[in-house]
Amino acid sequence: MSQKRIAVFGASGATGREVVRHALRAGLEVVAIDRSQPDEEDRLEGVTYRQADVLEDDLADAMKGCDAVISTLGVAFSPSNAMSPPPLYTKGTGNILDGMQRAGIDRIVVISAAFVADQPSLPKWFKLTVVPALRNILEQMKEMEASLEEATNLEWTAVRPAWLIEKPANGELLVDEEHLPQEAFRCRIGDLGDFMVDCVKNEKHVRAKPAVGAPEDEKFESPLALGEEFVGL
């Protein structure tokens, strides 16, 4: 294993917390980077916490001493974000890449989305309703992926998860290149966090866009489930 210490951006978010937990279990040192520091009672033993805003700050110092980066930056779906999403995937990732170059880091794993590409296995109702609503966010993700592909001397992975669900890992994640495996409609954030850590620890899917997901119970894959989740945002 060449990477021993990883910087995790967005570490306080749902997926970021899963990445931190799985990284610790994998024996990696973790530097958790976010806009604000967590309260003492919310900090995990063995994690170094650093404060930085990916849209405003110089990030090289925040990543100092790290061997690789995992970015769990994400834009939550809301009407305002759908219309005008903050530039986390574009400007934020660009600032991370700039900081990495100056810090001497060449390995990064980021979260994109399966829906940046046409996914033949998606239910028709999802393609006709949700994907168009995410258009502006998905355009940012496409731009982010393009910036990774254009970067020289960068070992990147753009993970394309299916529709995320806040559940712990169950080890049943299915993986294919760029397009979701058949019936892999949802992706547990626990499995996503574990997968991202594995990509870094074991040098998997370098310069690739793995699409990840798994089948779930029908009650989690219906239009009703989508509506309930949006209401809860």
Side-chain angles (χ1 to χ4, degrees):
M1 179 182 70
S2 58
Q3 287 83 18
K4 295 182 180 180
R5 196 179 208 207
I6 61 169
V8 180
F9 284 91
S12 65
T15 305
R17 293 193 298 271
E18 291 291 337
V19 166
V20 170
R21 282 195 285 266
H22 284 286
L24 291 174
R25 291 171 189 157
L28 302 178
E29 295 181 31
V30 177
V31 176
I33 304 172
D34 235 317
R35 287 187 300 174
S36 58
Q37 297 276 14
D39 296 334
E40 288 293 334
E41 61 269 21
D42 295 326
R43 300 189 181 198
L44 296 177
E45 185 177 353
V47 176
T48 299
Y49 292 91
R50 295 177 182 170
Q51 187 171 350
D53 187 327
V54 297
L55 297 180
E56 302 293 339
D57 296 335
D58 183 328
L59 303 177
D61 284 344
M63 293 183 277
K64 186 176 181 180
C66 294
D67 304 295
V69 172
I70 293 180
S71 173
T72 65
L73 297 177
V75 175
F77 181 82
S78 68
S80 60
N81 282 345
M83 290 293 294
S84 181
L88 289 176
Y89 299 110
T90 49
K91 182 180 178 182
T93 302
N95 288 343
I96 291 173
L97 297 183
D98 179 67
M100 287 174 60
Q101 185 177 29
R102 289 181 289 112
I105 304 169
D106 64 2
R107 181 71 173 116
I108 183 170
V109 178
V110 304
I111 299 176
S112 182
F115 319 122
V116 299
D118 180 55
Q119 299 291 339
S121 64
L122 286 181
K124 188 173 182 179
W125 68 264
F126 194 86
K127 285 187 177 183
L128 293 176
T129 57
V130 180
V131 173
L134 296 174
R135 182 176 62 86
N136 292 332
I137 296 173
L138 295 176
E139 286 300 318
Q140 277 204 27
M141 290 178 170
K142 290 179 184 178
E143 187 175 336
M144 175 186 68
E145 288 189 358
S147 71
L148 294 173
E149 291 180 294
E150 293 168 1
T152 58
N153 302 318
L154 183 68
E155 302 294 298
W156 57 269
T157 304
V159 183
R160 292 178 167 183
W163 174 18
L164 293 176
I165 181 171
E166 290 200 26
K167 284 184 171 292
N170 65 4
E172 297 180 3
L173 195 67
L174 303 176
V175 183
D176 210 339
E177 290 302 321
E178 301 197 14
H179 294 89
L180 290 170
Q182 190 67 29
E183 298 183 357
F185 180 38
R186 302 221 63 174
C187 180
R188 293 179 173 229
I189 61 169
D191 285 312
L192 176 59
D194 186 33
F195 180 80
M196 297 180 81
V197 170
D198 188 44
C199 285
V200 167
K201 181 178 179 181
N202 295 307
E203 291 296 332
K204 294 182 177 179
H205 302 284
V206 176
R207 300 190 66 81
K209 305 169 188 176
V212 298
E216 290 285 347
D217 290 343
E218 184 178 353
K219 64 182 179 181
F220 298 121
E221 296 190 340
S222 67
L224 178 61
L226 179 72
E228 290 176 345
E229 290 178 25
F230 279 2
V231 167
L233 293 176

